[in-house]
Amino acid sequence: MIIMSGSIGAGKSELTKIVADHLGTVPFYEPVEENPILPLFYKDPNRYAFLLQIYFLNKRFKSIKQAMQDDNNVLDRSIYEDSLFFHMNAEMGRANMQEVQVYDDLFKNMMEELPYAAHKKAPDLLIHIEVSIDTMLDHISKRGRSYEQVDQDPSLIAYYQNLIDHYIPWYEAYDVSPKIKIDGDSADFVNDIEDRKKVLKQIDDKLREIGKLTQSDYDELMIKLDNLK
């Protein structure tokens, strides 16, 4: 099982589909479009930060349980980074200490139950996409969700930069599984086929390194990459 991580607009959903297609497996996507709380959070983050993260935590726990039932799946968002968002919002005064305590206790309980619920202790690989604020804003603008746009709320620029800054120590501290970092600024894996090949090879190399691909499987994927157009 492979999980993605990265800030808003990093390209997690796009890379999830690309990797799943490449490996011939099933993608799992974060429930964003049907999320009734997310637009409310952008309008009034102080009121809805706690509710939003509880919503996300519940959905991600359900998704990771489903994905861990099988050997080959790709998730576009990691439950392990969920607390990063909430603690950052708490630092910004959008959650009180009681809400932080309730969230942390719930998160801890879920993580303790995950091996029993999913019959697997941890993901096999974390793929982290790192992007700059300029790339992030460009992606957010292109996907067009109105409540995310900085031209409607310029204060979001500081929020987005804060999020990027929080991901740096989070990735360094992550030790639940093997991990790799993708440079989302230099690698346009969505639109540039050569960049896509390089990113997929980086992932294939890591999967072989950690023993999740046999040599014959790896060789077949290399042939598939050569024929990718």
Side-chain angles (χ1 to χ4, degrees), residues 48-72:
Y48 290 104
F50 178 69
L51 181 59
L52 177 66
Q53 288 308 136
I54 293 297
Y55 177 92
F56 273 135
L57 184 61
N58 182 49
K59 293 294 184 180
R60 288 169 187 158
F61 189 66
K62 181 179 180 180
S63 291
I64 200 170
K65 285 194 301 179
Q66 291 175 335
M68 279 184 168
Q69 297 298 323
D70 299 318
D71 289 333
N72 297 296

Side-chain angles (χ1 to χ4, degrees), residues 1 3 57 60-69 75 78-80 106-123 176:
M1 190 188 73
I3 57 175
L57 184 61
R60 288 169 187 158
F61 189 66
K62 181 179 180 180
S63 291
I64 200 170
K65 285 194 301 179
Q66 291 175 335
M68 279 184 168
Q69 297 298 323
L75 283 82
S78 157
I79 194 172
Y80 301 97
L106 179 58
F107 184 81
K108 180 181 178 181
N109 286 337
M110 284 181 165
M111 292 302 97
E112 290 174 349
E113 291 299 318
L114 188 59
Y116 305 101
H119 310 295
K120 190 179 182 78
K121 289 185 178 181
V176 178

Side-chain angles (χ1 to χ4, degrees), residues 13-211:
S13 296
E14 291 88 348
L15 189 56
T16 293
K17 183 180 187 306
I18 290 169
V19 172
D21 288 345
H22 177 62
L23 297 177
T25 186
V26 179
F28 283 74
Y29 297 104
E30 184 179 36
V32 173
E33 301 302 335
E34 67 271 24
N35 184 337
I37 303 169
L38 194 56
L40 299 176
F41 167 77
Y42 276 90
K43 291 180 180 178
D44 191 349
N46 290 341
R47 180 177 180 183
Y48 290 104
F50 178 69
L51 181 59
L52 177 66
Q53 288 308 136
I54 293 297
Y55 177 92
F56 273 135
L57 184 61
N58 182 49
K59 293 294 184 180
R60 288 169 187 158
F61 189 66
K62 181 179 180 180
S63 291
I64 200 170
K65 285 194 301 179
Q66 291 175 335
M68 279 184 168
Q69 297 298 323
D70 299 318
D71 289 333
N72 297 296
N73 288 306
V74 185
L75 283 82
D76 78 335
R77 171 71 79 179
S78 157
I79 194 172
Y80 301 97
E81 64 194 295
D82 195 84
S83 62
L84 179 156
F85 280 85
F86 186 59
H87 278 262
M88 188 186 84
N89 277 288
E91 291 171 13
M92 299 172 69
R94 296 173 172 178
N96 58 48
M97 291 305 299
Q98 288 76 22
E99 289 172 327
V100 171
Q101 187 64 56
V102 168
Y103 176 88
D104 286 346
D105 287 346
L106 179 58
F107 184 81
K108 180 181 178 181
N109 286 337
M110 284 181 165
M111 292 302 97
E112 290 174 349
E113 291 299 318
L114 188 59
Y116 305 101
H119 310 295
K120 190 179 182 78
K121 289 185 178 181
D124 296 301
L125 179 66
L126 169 76
I127 301 173
H128 179 69
I129 308 172
E130 188 172 77
V131 294
S132 64
I133 186 67
D134 290 338
T135 299
M136 182 184 186
L137 293 176
D138 180 59
H139 291 175
I140 288 173
S141 177
K142 287 178 178 177
R143 73 183 182 189
R145 295 173 189 156
S146 59
Y147 51 81
E148 292 180 338
Q149 304 307 313
V150 296
D151 57 352
Q152 297 190 29
D153 183 359
S155 69
L156 286 174
I157 296 178
Y159 177 78
Y160 292 151
Q161 183 62 62
N162 195 15
L163 187 58
I164 289 174
D165 293 342
H166 274 72
Y167 263 106
I168 296 172
W170 177 87
Y171 176 77
E172 294 302 321
Y174 176 87
D175 61 358
V176 178
S177 71
K179 60 187 178 182
I180 58 171
K181 184 188 297 183
I182 305 297
D183 186 344
D185 288 340
S186 63
D188 184 3
F189 48 78
V190 175
N191 301 301
D192 189 302
I193 195 67
E194 293 304 319
D195 283 352
R196 186 180 304 180
K197 288 181 179 181
K198 290 176 184 177
V199 168
L200 287 174
K201 187 177 185 305
Q202 181 183 349
I203 295 168
D204 290 343
D205 288 347
K206 187 65 177 182
L207 289 172
R208 183 180 62 167
E209 175 191 323
I210 63 178

